[in-house]
Amino acid sequence: MTIEDRTSADKALGAFAGLALGDALGMPTQSMSRQEIAEDYGPIGGFVPAGPRQKIAAGMPAGSVTDDTEQAVLLAELLIEHDGALPADEFARRLLAWERDMIAKDSLDLLGPSTKAALQRLQDGEDPGVTGRGGSTNGAAMRIAPVAIAVPVNPRVPFLDAVQDSARITHNSSIGLAAAAAVGAAVSAGIDGAGIADAIATAADYADLAERRAHWVAGGRIGPRVRWAAALLQGSDPADHARIATDLIGTSVAAQESVVAALALAAVSTDPWQTLRTAAGLGGDTDTVAAMAGAVLGAVHGTAAWPARAITEVQQRNGLALADLCTGLLAIRARHRA
């Protein structure tokens, strides 16, 4: 293995591990307010179990991941099995099977609103090309990291094709697709050696390109909002970043809030692990904000961004074999470059 191959492997694992770490940090705080999080947990210093006011992940132990990581793993396995392709019917079948498993476990951590609605329409016989036109939440963006590991950000068209294949059945709207392209482009650019500033700039540019491919829906555009939010935090006191992310950018499941917040926090990060802990305490869709920020920061900085003990803990707790998945995904990436 060449030095370049080892670097790419480390950055790919850094991205997938960052996703899982952010997800696990945000598991106990998801859908809670910033005040409730402070009252129940105080500052998030590491993995903690779900507390008494955590309804979605009630009873889950410290270090547990949620649908963000589980859907990303599902997507990675499908990409590897089909040599980089994503058959829409099989993707839908696996998403529905995953939710059935969650229901059987009495879990409330189920498919998001856009994904659930789209898959119901697919089951009702609608064409996969139209089921995702209303999806403008962050579901496609939260699971995009495996696509970004498997496909180089350049040339643009194959990368955007791959992102759209992963989002088409659930989030094929101008906002949903742009959000997935933004996170994916930042991760893929990071694996190719981009620094954080270039990765975030690439994210905004690819969001602009992707939104033109999908069904238009009303809402703040992802690309301009990423540029605005990153500049806003860069010009602010770091002590105010959490407040600004919560109060002005937003941390809901809406892609133009949570995806933008994740990328803006990554843009100003000087300590990736601290950034994820901050994201986990913001309130709102904390697990997804932290997961997306973690994927981007891990791609840029590699596994050195994360405490080795935390990577081991989250993989053991959840039965994850992230290095094996990254090896399969990078083999697809190599074929794209051949």
Side-chain angles (χ1 to χ4, degrees), residues 71-200:
Q71 287 192 33
V73 168
L74 181 156
L75 183 55
E77 292 171 343
L78 193 60
L79 282 165
I80 293 167
E81 288 173 23
H82 293 271
D83 197 23
L86 282 173
D89 56 345
E90 179 63 11
F91 190 21
R93 187 189 69 76
R94 294 196 188 189
L95 286 171
L96 290 167
W98 172 83
E99 184 176 57
R100 285 195 297 272
D101 287 345
M102 293 298 101
I103 293 171
K105 297 174 184 176
D106 293 324
S107 173
L108 295 178
D109 192 14
L110 306 177
L111 294 170
S114 294
T115 300
K116 184 68 174 178
L119 293 181
Q120 183 59 57
R121 293 171 65 187
L122 194 67
Q123 286 184 306
D124 291 342
E126 285 198 33
D127 189 307
V130 301
T131 54
R133 288 186 174 183
S136 59
T137 53
N138 56 26
M142 75 179 192
R143 65 183 183 231
I144 196 64
V147 175
I149 295 170
V151 186
V153 74
N154 287 307
R156 289 176 170 179
V157 171
F159 178 81
L160 289 169
D161 286 347
V163 171
Q164 191 160 24
D165 284 346
S166 75
R168 181 174 285 108
I169 61 173
T170 59
H171 292 81
N172 200 26
S173 72
S174 54
I175 292 174
L177 183 60
V183 175
V187 171
S188 190
I191 291 172
D192 279 345
I196 193 61
D198 286 342
I200 299 303

Side-chain angles (χ1 to χ4, degrees), residues 141 178-187 196 199-204 207 222-223 225-227 229-230 233-234 249 255 257-269 275 289 292-297:
V183 175
V187 171
I196 193 61
I200 299 303
T202 301
I222 299 296
R225 280 184 58 80
V226 168
R227 298 182 186 97
L233 292 190
Q234 286 162 351
I249 301 171
E257 290 193 2
S258 50
V259 170
V260 173
L263 292 170
L265 288 168
V268 297
S269 177
T275 298
V289 173
M292 293 185 293
V296 173
L297 289 168

